[in-house]
């Protein structure tokens, strides 16, 4: 997990606002990235992925942006809800059948 | 489709003992990966199996081992347990192609006393 890191360990967001969670990676050979959400007492839940040949990918209320020039990944959550409170991890894959995880960002949604 | 299942969910062992954890992947998935999660080290890759073959291994001592069966179910074993082995052990499954989605199970919480 040393090559993947998140800029902020915690993020507090007002309910209804948009959240942006950032991740920096150091290995330019990484070609696949995943965002996971982990709630207390549960395993990581797949949110969205993106391949290195893409800059942006959208899902339901979530968007992942990839900037290969500065090796930066972000997850945007629209209209943040209380159920979005969790720890968010970015993970990278270098075509070697393993994922390397960042340290995680704890998102707290304020009512 | 049922998700990834792991058994047991909780386990308490004593130093020096050995433990075996089990993982059943999502139906149709042939790849199973194991990760260790601790507050200090985060999520660390242990190993990955595909069609009963280990394709990659993380930087863990030889006390950590695994295997995969012909039905894709996997087990991991930790021998001579140490206090530092206390962790959440997570299993993830995928279809096994390069750069693929991996889905995690709920994990096995191992406590070593």
């Amino acid at each position: 997990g040393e090559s993947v890191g998140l800029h902020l360990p915690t993020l507090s967001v007002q309910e209804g606002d948009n959240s942006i969670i950032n991740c920096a990676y150091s290995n330019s050979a990484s070609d696949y990235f995943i965002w996971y959400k982990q709630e207390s007492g549960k395993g990581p839940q797949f949110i969205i992925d993106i391949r290195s040949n893409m800059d942006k990918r959208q899902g339901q209320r979530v968007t992942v942006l990839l900037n290969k020039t500065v090796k930066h990944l972000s997850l945007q959550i629209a209209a943040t809800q209380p159920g979005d409170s969790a720890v968010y991890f970015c993970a990278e894959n270098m075509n070697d059948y393993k994922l390397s995880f960042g340290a995680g960002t704890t998102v707290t949604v304020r009512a | 489709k049922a998700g990834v299942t792991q058994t047991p969910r909780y386990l308490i062992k004593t130093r020096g003992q050995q433990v075996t954890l089990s993982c059943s992947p999502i139906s149709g998935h042939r790849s199973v990966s194991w990760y260790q999660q601790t507050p200090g080290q985060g999520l660390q890759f242990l190993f990955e199996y595909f069609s009963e073959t280990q394709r990659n291994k993380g930087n863990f001592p030889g006390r950590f081992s695994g295997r995969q069966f012909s039905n894709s179910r996997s087990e991991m074993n930790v021998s001579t347990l140490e206090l530092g082995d206390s962790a959440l052990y997570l299993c993830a499954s995928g279809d096994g192609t390069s750069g693929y989605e991996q889905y995690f199970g709920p994990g096995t919480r191992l406590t070593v006393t």
Side-chain angles (χ1 to χ4, degrees):
Chain A
E2 293 82 5
S3 65
V4 178
L6 285 155
H7 290 309
L8 293 173
T10 61
L11 179 67
S12 180
V13 182
Q14 185 68 39
E15 181 179 357
D17 287 353
N18 297 333
S19 303
I20 299 177
I21 306 166
N22 295 305
C23 175
Y25 66 96
S26 58
N27 197 320
S28 57
S30 294
D31 59 0
Y32 179 65
F33 305 87
I34 303 179
W35 280 100
Y36 286 96
K37 169 188 179 184
Q38 187 174 27
E39 297 173 281
S40 181
K42 297 183 179 180
Q45 174 189 352
F46 177 95
I47 300 174
I48 192 168
D49 60 355
I50 188 167
R51 299 191 183 278
S52 59
N53 61 353
M54 302 172 69
D55 297 323
K56 179 180 179 179
R57 190 157 189 235
Q58 289 184 293
Q60 187 176 8
R61 277 202 311 119
V62 295
T63 300
V64 56
L65 299 178
L66 176 62
N67 186 329
K68 295 180 286 295
T69 303
V70 295
K71 294 198 279 289
H72 182 267
L73 193 67
S74 69
L75 178 71
Q76 300 178 3
I77 305 174
T80 310
Q81 302 169 357
D84 294 328
S85 292
V87 180
Y88 289 80
F89 296 94
C90 64
E92 64 177 317
N93 173 263
M94 289 178 279
N95 198 26
D96 57 358
Y97 310 116
K98 76 175 188 182
L99 292 174
S100 295
F101 284 83
T105 292
T106 300
V107 174
T108 302
V109 181
R110 306 189 306 271
Chain B
K1 238 184 210 182
V4 178
T5 58
Q6 293 187 244
T7 57
R9 292 293 312 278
Y10 303 92
L11 207 50
I12 300 175
K13 289 287 189 178
T14 304
R15 269 182 304 174
Q17 289 185 315
Q18 67 94 25
V19 67
T20 299
L21 311 181
S22 181
C23 172
S24 292
I26 292 170
S27 177
H29 283 181
R30 296 165 64 191
S31 166
V32 172
S33 301
W34 289 90
Y35 294 82
Q36 181 196 65
Q37 186 175 28
T38 60
Q41 298 298 315
L43 278 147
Q44 299 286 318
F45 172 78
L46 282 156
F47 24 67
E48 189 261 4
Y49 289 89
F50 180 82
S51 293
E52 303 179 67
T53 300
Q54 186 182 89
R55 294 194 296 189
N56 203 345
K57 188 179 188 304
N59 297 322
F60 280 82
R63 301 185 296 106
F64 292 81
S65 63
R67 60 177 176 169
Q68 187 181 34
F69 302 95
S70 58
N71 61 358
S72 295
R73 191 178 68 86
S74 176
E75 289 181 347
M76 69 162 281
N77 183 276
V78 188
S79 63
T80 320
L81 283 165
E82 300 177 0
L83 294 178
D85 296 333
S86 294
L88 181 66
Y89 289 89
L90 292 158
C91 164
S93 80
D95 68 10
T97 55
S98 176
Y100 56 94
E101 299 171 17
Q102 293 188 39
Y103 298 91
F104 282 85
T108 293
R109 172 71 63 185
L110 172 65
T111 301
V112 182
T113 62

